[in-house]
Amino acid sequence: MINRFSMRPERINTLIVSDIHLGSRVSRAKECLRLIESYRLGKHEWAFDRLILLGDIFDDMNFHRLKKHAWQLVSIFREITDEESNAEVVWVLGNHDELLVEMMASLVGITVHEEYEWVVNGKRNLAMHGQQFDKWIIKYPNISKVPSWMYDVIQQLDGPNQRVSRFVKDKSKQWLRINHAVAEGISRYARSRKQRIDYTFCGHTHLSEVIDFPQWNMTYYNTGCWTGKHAPTFVTIDLLGNVRLCEYTADSVTEVVEVAVAS
């Protein structure tokens, strides 16, 4: 089930994007830039209180691969962190970001968090990139880079509908059970905290989804990614604390309201 609405965003509390992989051949930097710009109300004024960059914003440290729209995104991040801005940028560390922490602090002026917790209208939220719950990243950090490179090549060679890329991504993630591991991992971690968490957010898997954990009164959201030719996805939280998982296109935004229930 989906709901479509125009690219005239309402005033919201939080905008979350992840896995832009700036510098990658399949990065959708231009579209991500357009999305964030659509929330601009004026100079130093935005229609959100915070922008959360939920990890893997850059693909690696090779800044020579960054093109015009990637640098424009970096510029807009700096603009939002300006002391005159009515909003803030929160950067949550991803596995591709680990060597960029000090550089980002000086270049963009953003503090990088391992995890980030905040409250919207009484609803408590927890955001982590998700690599903390990926056994392949933890146990085999060097080997885990090979599938990422291979997938970039497949996306580059695939047709406009990205059928092969979607099939490979879906089957590989199912085989490795990364999606389930990340969703359950952050949910169990959130449950162990002193204060109750209502919503958890991850990226990392590149697969957008919503999973309800009724046994813990908690819902998990994966923000998906901004790579490849399929519709990129993001999350919004409105002023009342309601969460939306959305797909972006040039003409409209589509809310994805399909929710899976954890077994």
Side-chain angles (χ1 to χ4, degrees):
M1 181 179 177
I2 57 176
N3 293 329
R4 289 185 173 83
F5 47 97
S6 66
M7 282 301 296
R8 288 183 174 272
E10 61 185 3
R11 185 74 171 81
I12 61 173
N13 180 277
T14 305
L15 172 64
I16 309 176
V17 297
S18 74
D19 298 273
I20 310 174
H21 289 275
L22 297 176
S24 168
R25 291 168 294 180
V26 292
S27 176
R28 303 283 290 275
K30 181 178 181 180
E31 287 89 343
C32 189
L33 177 67
R34 288 187 59 191
L35 171 70
I36 296 173
E37 281 283 9
S38 73
Y39 283 90
R40 182 190 292 276
L41 299 175
K43 188 176 182 180
H44 306 306
E45 189 175 0
W46 304 88
F48 51 75
D49 294 332
R50 70 179 53 78
L51 167 65
I52 296 181
L53 306 175
L54 195 50
D56 286 1
I57 304 306
F58 289 91
D59 197 53
D60 54 35
M61 292 190 66
N62 186 0
F63 282 9
H64 293 294
R65 295 199 299 164
L66 299 186
K67 298 182 180 180
K68 179 180 71 173
H69 295 110
W71 284 114
Q72 288 177 338
L73 262 180
V74 174
S75 178
I76 208 171
F77 297 157
R78 291 196 64 176
E79 184 179 348
I80 298 171
T81 61
D82 188 279
E83 61 181 11
E84 296 184 42
S85 173
N86 70 329
E88 64 174 335
V89 176
V90 175
W91 195 313
V92 178
L93 184 69
N95 50 294
H96 283 254
D97 303 323
E98 291 176 348
L99 299 177
L100 298 169
V101 175
E102 293 185 6
M103 186 178 298
M104 286 301 98
S106 59
L107 180 64
V108 189
I110 302 175
T111 301
V112 181
H113 303 259
E114 290 277 353
E115 58 187 70
Y116 182 71
E117 185 177 325
W118 75 110
V119 179
V120 182
N121 194 34
K123 299 293 186 180
R124 189 169 294 275
N125 309 286
L126 175 67
M128 303 174 71
H129 180 62
Q131 79 276 19
Q132 299 91 337
F133 312 106
D134 182 346
K135 67 178 182 179
W136 290 94
I137 294 290
I138 297 169
K139 295 182 179 180
Y140 315 108
N142 292 324
I143 295 176
S144 66
K145 296 176 182 178
V146 175
S148 178
W149 174 82
M150 292 178 63
Y151 183 65
D152 279 355
V153 173
I154 291 172
Q155 285 185 303
Q156 189 72 14
L157 299 176
D158 204 357
N161 294 322
Q162 292 283 285
R163 289 191 177 92
V164 176
S165 301
R166 288 170 180 262
F167 177 81
V168 170
K169 178 165 64 175
D170 182 55
K171 294 303 178 183
S172 65
K173 297 294 185 180
Q174 286 183 13
W175 178 63
L176 296 174
R177 297 185 63 82
I178 292 175
N179 301 333
H180 179 76
V182 171
E184 185 171 339
I186 190 174
S187 299
R188 287 188 179 277
Y189 175 73
R191 184 169 176 261
S192 70
R193 298 170 76 87
K194 292 181 179 179
Q195 293 181 300
R196 183 174 67 87
I197 301 294
D198 297 287
Y199 301 109
T200 59
F201 303 90
C202 284
H204 186 59
T205 70
H206 288 205
L207 291 173
S208 59
E209 57 185 346
V210 184
I211 302 176
D212 191 32
F213 289 86
Q215 68 272 35
W216 300 329
N217 294 317
M218 188 186 307
T219 303
Y220 163 83
Y221 287 82
N222 194 293
T223 50
C225 65
W226 291 77
T227 60
K229 296 181 180 178
H230 56 281
T233 50
F234 62 98
V235 163
T236 65
I237 305 177
D238 67 20
L239 300 179
L240 298 177
N242 300 310
V243 184
R244 282 176 168 171
L245 174 64
C246 304
E247 289 185 350
Y248 173 87
T249 66
D251 301 317
S252 65
V253 166
T254 301
E255 180 188 8
V256 183
V257 291
E258 296 178 354
V259 180
V261 179
S263 57

